Amino acid sequence: MYTTKCCKGGCFEQGQLSPYRNLELSPSAGVLNYGQGLYEGTKAYRKEDGRLLLFRPDQNAIRMQMGADRMCMPCPSIHQFIHGVKQVAFANKRWVPPPKKGSLYIRPLLMGSGPILGLAPAPEYTFLIYASPVGNYFKEGLAPLNLVVEEEFHRATPGGAGGVKSITNYAPVLKAIGRAKSRGFSDVLYLDSVHNKYLEEVSSCNIFLVKGNIISTPAANGNILQGVTRRSIIEIARHQGYQVEEVAIPVEGLMDADEVFCTGTAVGVAPVGSITYQDKRVEYKVKAESVSEQLHSILEGIKTGHIEDKQGWILEI
């Protein structure tokens, strides 16, 4: 793991690699008492020749800087962020699964580690990066997801922190996820908290709807996370000739969509087989030649070095 610290108002010192270990924190650490923390997620992939590839880590670094500003935290520079990710990936090279067997998930974490009893920014911050080999995020593997629209709980509110990768965004969704999974669903699709009618995102991934040649996804209005995979799929889809719209999508739009899919670092591009809303289940035909499969193949090809990277997205270690 990679670790570095920073005092309030200062800069992060040069990071150091050390064996994966537990952390020692004050009981009054800002992250424990007030949730002053952010995390990112990226992956390293192994090529057939053994080389390791990273996918757009600069975008994760930029997103962490945006989140740190929102959460009143200092943040490592983009260069230091990427340097730390590269070091962790290389130090854990033997844990990167073989090609097509998985990837090395890399978790950068920024937190207020200094003690603070009153409600205020912490006096000290820790930036660390650790990693773990992973396979498929959902237990269904590559099988289509079955989602349920959540009407009681909301993931984010206007003016809140839904648009940044704050640690505080995730524990509140556990109740809704647990309830959905107990009913046989894969995950929950959230609606906006003002009108309770516009799509926002799934618990840990963005959502896309396909109708003919038009691909729609909820606009990044501060409530949803601007995923790196989301942005990449939008760019790939436009390059493939699709019309991509970032707009407000009413829940009724699910009823006549040709296809629905989710995107995220953990899930990649995951097709949706059904969505249940107010006890009405809408099913989508998932075909081998589907739009999501086409986009998934291109994205994974770029990530793993099988398709030429013309956008400068790949960083080789």
Side-chain angles (χ1 to χ4, degrees), residues 19-95:
Y20 183 87
R21 67 187 190 281
N22 292 335
L23 301 177
E24 183 175 311
L25 289 173
S26 165
S28 58
V31 66
L32 297 179
N33 291 264
Y34 304 117
Q36 197 180 23
L38 297 163
Y39 80 84
E40 280 295 329
T42 188
K43 289 180 176 179
Y45 301 85
R46 187 187 297 278
K47 293 188 67 176
E48 282 81 358
D49 60 9
R51 289 182 295 168
L52 299 185
L53 304 178
L54 295 172
F55 182 73
R56 307 190 78 176
D58 59 312
Q59 297 301 306
N60 297 95
I62 292 170
R63 188 169 64 179
M64 178 167 275
Q65 288 189 332
M66 294 171 55
D69 179 70
R70 176 66 176 84
M71 304 295 284
C72 297
M73 306 168 72
C75 188
S77 67
I78 295 175
H79 172 77
Q80 187 171 21
F81 182 103
I82 295 175
H83 178 68
V85 168
K86 289 172 65 176
Q87 282 194 296
V88 169
F90 188 77
N92 290 284
K93 184 175 182 180
R94 68 192 182 101
W95 295 106

Side-chain angles (χ1 to χ4, degrees), residues 7-316:
C7 291
K8 183 179 178 181
C11 297
F12 281 92
E13 59 196 31
Q14 184 174 352
Q16 301 292 330
L17 285 174
S18 66
Y20 183 87
R21 67 187 190 281
N22 292 335
L23 301 177
E24 183 175 311
L25 289 173
S26 165
S28 58
V31 66
L32 297 179
N33 291 264
Y34 304 117
Q36 197 180 23
L38 297 163
Y39 80 84
E40 280 295 329
T42 188
K43 289 180 176 179
Y45 301 85
R46 187 187 297 278
K47 293 188 67 176
E48 282 81 358
D49 60 9
R51 289 182 295 168
L52 299 185
L53 304 178
L54 295 172
F55 182 73
R56 307 190 78 176
D58 59 312
Q59 297 301 306
N60 297 95
I62 292 170
R63 188 169 64 179
M64 178 167 275
Q65 288 189 332
M66 294 171 55
D69 179 70
R70 176 66 176 84
M71 304 295 284
C72 297
M73 306 168 72
C75 188
S77 67
I78 295 175
H79 172 77
Q80 187 171 21
F81 182 103
I82 295 175
H83 178 68
V85 168
K86 289 172 65 176
Q87 282 194 296
V88 169
F90 188 77
N92 290 284
K93 184 175 182 180
R94 68 192 182 101
W95 295 106
V96 183
K100 300 181 181 180
K101 297 294 184 180
S103 56
L104 183 74
Y105 184 85
I106 302 171
R107 169 63 60 86
L109 178 63
L110 177 65
M111 60 182 174
S113 52
I116 184 76
L117 187 59
L119 180 56
E124 179 192 78
Y125 295 86
T126 297
F127 175 62
L128 64 88
I129 309 172
Y130 65 94
S132 174
V134 296
N136 292 313
Y137 180 78
F138 288 106
K139 68 177 183 179
E140 294 90 343
L142 298 177
L145 305 178
N146 297 304
L147 305 179
V148 60
V149 176
E150 175 60 51
E151 296 185 86
E152 178 182 357
F153 299 111
H154 293 95
R155 179 190 165 275
T157 58
V164 300
K165 209 164 177 64
S166 165
I167 63 173
T168 55
N169 289 340
Y170 294 89
V173 306
L174 297 179
K175 190 175 185 67
I177 293 175
R179 188 168 63 178
K181 290 187 175 180
S182 70
R183 297 168 59 197
F185 296 105
S186 309
D187 210 330
V188 171
L189 173 57
Y190 293 91
L191 301 177
D192 75 289
S193 61
V194 176
H195 307 285
N196 208 40
K197 66 173 289 187
Y198 295 104
L199 305 183
E200 290 206 333
E201 64 178 76
V202 182
S203 301
S204 59
C205 47
N206 299 114
I207 192 163
F208 288 78
L209 279 65
V210 180
K211 184 67 176 179
N213 195 55
I214 300 176
I215 300 176
S216 304
T217 191
N221 56 6
N223 278 14
I224 71 165
L225 193 67
Q226 298 188 49
V228 176
T229 307
R230 174 186 181 272
R231 174 179 295 184
S232 303
I233 285 296
I234 289 174
E235 294 179 36
I236 292 172
R238 285 174 174 161
H239 188 263
Q240 293 298 309
Y242 292 99
Q243 179 182 336
V244 183
E245 300 178 341
E246 298 181 70
V247 295
I249 304 175
V251 65
E252 291 79 14
L254 296 169
M255 305 306 163
D256 62 352
D258 298 333
E259 187 181 336
V260 177
F261 62 91
C262 297
T263 66
T265 298
V267 305
V269 180
V272 174
S274 74
I275 297 180
T276 300
Y277 174 57
Q278 295 183 342
D279 296 323
K280 181 178 180 181
R281 180 184 175 100
V282 181
E283 297 189 353
Y284 307 98
K285 293 181 178 179
V286 180
K287 303 178 181 179
E289 66 274 16
S290 65
V291 173
S292 64
E293 176 57 31
Q294 176 192 5
L295 299 177
H296 171 265
S297 296
I298 296 173
L299 179 64
E300 290 303 306
I302 295 174
K303 285 181 177 181
T304 57
H306 290 94
I307 293 179
E308 182 182 358
D309 172 30
K310 298 181 180 179
Q311 296 88 354
W313 289 350
I314 296 298
L315 178 61
E316 184 177 322

